[in-house]
Amino acid sequence: MGVYFNKGAVKSKKEVQEQIDKMNSLYNDIVRHIQRMENSNDYLVARQLIREYEGLGGVSQMQVADLYNRLCDELNLLLQESQERQENLSEEVEKIQQRSFVENTSTLKELNVQSDELLFQYQLKLSQNRTKEGGRINRRIIGNAVKNCDRVHAIALSKLSLIPEYAELFTTKQREILPERAKSAQQRMYEEKKQADLETAQKKLSSEYMVGFHLKTAVKQMNEVINGSQYFGGGSSE
């Protein structure tokens, strides 16, 4: 390690050796800190340590340059790792979004047959009220049916709501309720788990994007320091 002292200063051999030991110790501490960096917060600590090292009397600017280069190299490695994690998390989010609940075919066929029978019954009942007052009665019938429906009734009512003749009997809220009522308990549990997994993965991805952003900023700062030769006195290392 190159060491330079002010020729006009008078130092004993002991003082010179203590200064050299101090510089060597701090230099090695900085190298270890850089090697153990995990994020942009560690980078800020390393920058401050290098400034402290640079402020010591007799420090070689070549050694300062070496530390800045080590720091920049490590930052680029951390950034690359962060970008790889972002890609993996993006893939995980996409896979979760593509999950879909698949129900037993025989169950769906049975529900379809039963709901068609109920659909016919609803049509028969509603067709008995053709007057203006009958329209209000039919809306009450639909309202009560939606409020109290089980799965198969919800499917039948959903089919009914798609028939133009009966569509006006359903409110927007009722149309929103029916698809949820038409789901099985297993499907609801599946979708709740999917949503929870998706939110967790998206949160991790968002956090990793922020890590990458701070690392990119740090890399940009270090490139400006190195390319501008700021550690040779060409500018501030702030």
Side-chain angles (χ1 to χ4, degrees):
M1 178 183 296
V3 180
Y4 303 90
F5 293 105
N6 186 342
K7 293 181 179 180
V10 178
K11 290 180 178 287
S12 66
K13 289 184 178 181
K14 180 180 179 181
E15 289 174 327
V16 171
Q17 188 58 51
E18 287 177 349
Q19 182 74 349
I20 293 173
D21 291 343
K22 183 177 181 179
M23 286 189 292
N24 288 340
S25 177
L26 182 54
Y27 179 89
N28 291 330
D29 286 345
I30 295 171
V31 170
R32 283 193 292 270
H33 180 82
I34 291 173
Q35 292 172 340
R36 296 170 182 171
M37 279 201 315
E38 295 182 355
N39 50 50
S40 57
N41 290 330
D42 293 334
Y43 153 74
L44 294 175
V45 174
R47 284 290 301 273
Q48 183 57 39
L49 289 173
I50 295 174
R51 291 189 186 101
E52 292 177 11
Y53 176 76
E54 192 173 5
L56 296 176
V59 168
S60 165
Q61 288 300 310
M62 292 300 297
Q63 293 303 119
V64 175
D66 175 68
L67 289 173
Y68 277 128
N69 279 304
R70 285 174 181 264
L71 181 55
C72 190
D73 289 344
E74 188 63 28
L75 281 172
N76 277 297
L77 286 175
L78 290 176
L79 178 57
Q80 182 179 348
E81 291 172 358
S82 176
Q83 291 171 336
E84 289 173 356
R85 288 194 295 270
Q86 289 174 33
E87 291 177 4
N88 291 336
L89 287 167
S90 293
E91 290 177 2
E92 182 180 347
V93 168
E94 186 175 351
K95 287 179 180 178
I96 294 173
Q97 290 173 330
Q98 291 176 348
R99 290 183 196 168
S100 59
F101 180 81
V102 179
E103 193 156 20
N104 185 279
T105 303
S106 61
T107 300
L108 292 175
K109 287 182 178 179
E110 184 178 352
L111 285 168
N112 190 51
V113 171
Q114 293 176 351
S115 63
D116 281 345
E117 292 175 356
L118 288 170
L119 174 62
F120 176 75
Q121 293 177 20
Y122 279 125
Q123 289 175 300
L124 186 62
K125 186 174 184 178
L126 295 171
S127 65
Q128 297 174 4
N129 303 307
R130 294 294 185 182
T131 64
K132 184 176 180 180
E133 177 62 24
R136 287 192 288 270
I137 293 173
N138 284 344
R139 287 188 180 88
R140 286 197 295 270
I141 290 173
I142 293 298
N144 289 329
V146 172
K147 183 179 179 180
N148 301 304
C149 68
D150 57 14
R151 188 184 186 192
V152 67
H153 281 79
I155 295 173
L157 288 166
S158 294
K159 291 179 178 180
L160 186 67
S161 71
L162 297 176
I163 300 175
E165 182 181 352
Y166 304 101
E168 65 179 13
L169 299 177
F170 294 83
T171 65
T172 300
K173 186 175 182 180
Q174 289 169 344
R175 292 176 186 277
E176 293 173 351
I177 291 173
L178 288 173
E180 289 302 311
R181 295 280 180 88
K183 295 176 182 177
S184 65
Q186 291 82 1
Q187 182 175 355
R188 291 195 196 96
M189 290 176 61
Y190 180 93
E191 292 179 353
E192 287 173 4
K193 177 66 165 54
K194 174 183 175 180
Q195 184 60 31
D197 290 347
L198 181 60
E199 289 175 0
T200 298
Q202 288 174 330
K203 186 176 180 180
K204 288 180 180 179
L205 179 58
S206 177
S207 178
E208 195 58 51
Y209 276 140
M210 188 58 64
V211 169
F213 171 77
H214 288 306
L215 288 171
K216 284 181 182 178
T217 301
V219 168
K220 181 180 178 182
Q221 290 174 350
M222 287 311 305
N223 285 332
E224 290 174 354
V225 169
I226 294 172
N227 295 333
S229 298
Q230 292 183 3
Y231 44 64
F232 290 125
S236 171
S237 60
E238 293 295 333

